[in-house]
DNA sequence: AAGTGGTCTAGACCACTCT
DNA sequence: GAGTGGTCTAGACCACTTT
């Protein structure tokens, strides 16, 4: 039987959690191995099962172990992950469009998925998609400013979204979620720099050859496949992608 | 006394959590109010305190309530937050530099903070800073490729980092953390597009007028103030900033 | 069948907050 | 001092996985 009480200040379940974390960190219980069962830990440390379980929950919350009914408690990491997390409360926070923006000059067209779109969407070639080309503009003190030109493809099932584009101030993915019951399970985003060609420069009303921030976003639905893929070109001087990542301890 | 058992499938603590979440969602317990005490919930639902506490923990994990010893359990949200989170396991994942990169042609210089640097760092004008200019290159099949030119400023206290730049493959913020005991509490990142001027293009060995992705990062220490601020210029065709945000339920 | 974690009860004492 | 949440025990039965 082992003894705890290195100060009697902390709760016993926490002392046990620290003790077990140390044994895990030292490799006594290597990653992938099972630690002793709850009953055995009760005997070993002279604690009630409730207390032992509290300690194990702490280790689980810290991402060190994983429990499986009928099997046991398995070590999944030797040290708590000290990850950074970037949290946003809504899609609009990601997109960073001020509330006072809207889409204009939108043109929609039903298209059939070519090889590239079929691959990106994980759908069959020839499947119906809605293509939306639009400018996003913001109202500012000096008048209206073009923030981005966007090309958006959405699954044909949501093509009816086309009839409300003029009144959509939020991200389109959010509208689809609300209107059609789709569920955004994840968003993938790529940011890169590009030089605008003549056509793109004309759309954005900037000089050809100027730089732009290109952002590609894929909105993944409940099945893990994208239901909307959008590409936006932002004039370099009018848009910056910003984010803050906070350190988080544990899992 | 209230009854649960809407199917007997789920554990009672979960049924209670759902019931309470519903009452919170309906405004019966508005945000800011205290819900009944644990003892009272035990009586009301004929459950043991352990079960009631399990239910409350579930609500707490979902971000609906907050407990305070001696006070009670307070409602802090009417519905679980459905936020998106972008998680990275290390700074290097943020920086997205493959392991096989290194700094070359680094030049370091002790500088005094001018007005702008003083503001960015939240330090006094004239405070000592170390400036590092360097190229980051990657080994690829076709030979070495320049990934970025970086200008980095770090607090003078960490100027000794200069003597190990050639051997640093990770992000410099990580090295400072390991060597000096600084703690990265958060990272702020800005991404924008720029057109390279002649000097920058020469450094990166690309054509003048080509586009680049500019990334500004601020590494915040334990006191919430930056200890390192870095600006990187990435040739447009050699670097893309990517991230994936997953929906997370609860707090 | 044996062993594991999951749920649940009944009861106890304590630290904390507020009046 | 009264009420709250925090900790802890002892004991029980169950669902699950593995042998």
């Amino acid at each position: 039987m082992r003894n705890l009480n290195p100060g009697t200040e902390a709760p016993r379940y926490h002392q046990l959690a620290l003790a077990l974390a140390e044994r895990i960190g030292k490799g006594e219980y290597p990653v992938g191995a099972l630690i002793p069962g709850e009953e055995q830990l009760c005997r070993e440390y002279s604690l009630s099962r409730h207390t032992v379980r509290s300690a194990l929950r702490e280790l689980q919350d810290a991402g060190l172990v994983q429990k499986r009914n009928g099997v046991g408690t398995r070590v999944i990491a030797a040290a708590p992950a000290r990850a950074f997390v970037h949290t946003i409360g809504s899609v609009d926070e990601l997109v960073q469009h001020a509330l006072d923006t809207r889409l204009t000059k939108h043109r929609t067209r039903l298209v059939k998925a070519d090889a590239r779109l079929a691959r990106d969407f994980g759908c069959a070639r020839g499947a119906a998609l809605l293509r939306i080309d639009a400018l996003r503009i913001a109202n500012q003190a000096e008048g209206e400013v073009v923030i981005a030109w966007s090309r958006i493809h959405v699954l044909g099932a949501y093509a009816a979204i086309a009839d409300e584009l003029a009144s959509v101030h939020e991200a389109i993915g959010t509208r689809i979620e609300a209107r059609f019951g789709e569920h955004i399970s994840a968003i993938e985003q790529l940011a890169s720099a590009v030089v605008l060609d003549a056509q793109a420069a004309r759309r954005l009303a900037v000089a050809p050859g100027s730089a732009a921030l290109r952002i590609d976003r894929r909105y993944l639905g409940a099945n893990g496949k994208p239901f909307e893929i959008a590409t936006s070109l932002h004039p370099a001087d009018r848009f910056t992608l910003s984010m803050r990542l906070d350190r988080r301890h544990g899992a």
Side-chain angles (χ1 to χ4, degrees), chain A residues 47-111:
Chain A
L47 294 170
S48 75
R49 184 141 170 250
H50 176 104
T51 304
V52 167
R53 283 177 64 79
S54 288
L56 292 182
R57 176 167 45 243
E58 203 175 303
L59 293 181
Q60 193 170 25
D61 289 345
L64 290 186
V65 303
Q66 201 170 37
K67 308 221 267 185
R68 273 188 62 199
N69 195 346
V71 179
T73 302
R74 196 175 297 279
V75 178
I76 58 172
R82 308 211 315 161
F84 288 87
V85 292
H86 167 214
T87 304
I88 57 171
S90 69
V91 175
D92 291 306
E93 271 183 64
L94 173 69
V95 177
Q96 292 178 49
H97 292 148
L99 288 176
D100 196 15
T101 69
R102 66 176 202 279
L103 296 177
T104 59
K105 299 192 181 171
H106 46 273
R107 293 167 51 174
T108 61
R109 190 178 146 204
L110 276 173
V111 299

Side-chain angles (χ1 to χ4, degrees), chain A residues 148-246:
Chain A
W149 174 82
S150 300
R151 168 160 288 183
I152 304 162
H153 286 96
V154 302
L155 292 182
Y158 305 135
I161 199 76
D163 61 23
E164 56 171 303
L165 289 179
S167 60
V168 171
H169 294 245
E170 59 206 316
I172 290 181
T174 308
R175 277 304 303 152
I176 291 177
E177 186 171 48
R179 174 163 166 187
F180 298 100
E182 178 61 89
H183 175 79
I184 305 176
S185 65
I187 302 171
E188 292 174 351
Q189 174 172 275
L190 301 176
S192 55
V194 296
V195 172
L196 293 175
D197 59 25
Q199 187 184 38
R202 201 168 52 242
R203 286 177 180 138
L204 289 168
V206 298
S210 58
L213 188 64
R214 172 180 169 157
I215 299 183
D216 294 280
R217 291 196 183 88
R218 291 159 33 101
Y219 294 80
L220 308 188
N223 60 4
K225 298 209 295 189
F227 65 88
E228 173 189 341
I229 300 180
T231 296
S232 294
L233 291 175
H234 300 270
D237 54 346
R238 297 188 204 153
F239 189 78
T240 299
L241 188 66
S242 73
M243 68 188 69
R244 178 191 166 102
L245 294 106
D246 289 282

